[in-house]
């Protein structure tokens, strides 16, 4: 079975850990970004199946990204 990729973009470490806990790592490849620009870069490179992104991110915010 091919794992689906999920990108989690959040600048708060506690929220990232909480978000990660929702997904079984045996079923999903979890990708992480801490800024809007990192989220864009990871999304372009990895082509995730789903992106969960905070709106308030440093630099480029979630809306712009």
């Amino acid at each position: 079975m091919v794992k689906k990729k999920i990108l989690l973009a959040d600048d708060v470490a506690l929220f990232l850990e909480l978000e990660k806990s929702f997904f079984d790592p045996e079923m999903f490849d979890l990708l992480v970004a801490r800024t809007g620009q990192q989220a864009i870069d990871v999304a372009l490179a990895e082509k995730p199946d789903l992106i969960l992104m905070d709106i308030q991110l440093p630099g480029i915010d979630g809306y712009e990204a």
Side-chain angles (χ1 to χ4, degrees), residues 18-57:
L18 179 63
E19 293 162 5
K20 285 184 201 178
S21 74
F22 296 144
F23 301 99
D24 181 352
E26 292 183 18
M27 296 182 66
F28 301 100
D29 281 329
L30 299 177
L31 310 168
V32 174
R34 300 293 302 262
T35 68
Q37 186 60 56
Q38 282 181 347
I40 292 169
D41 295 343
V42 172
L44 291 173
E46 297 292 332
K47 308 285 193 270
D49 298 289
L50 176 68
I51 300 172
L52 299 176
M53 184 179 302
D54 186 12
I55 294 170
Q56 296 178 345
L57 292 169

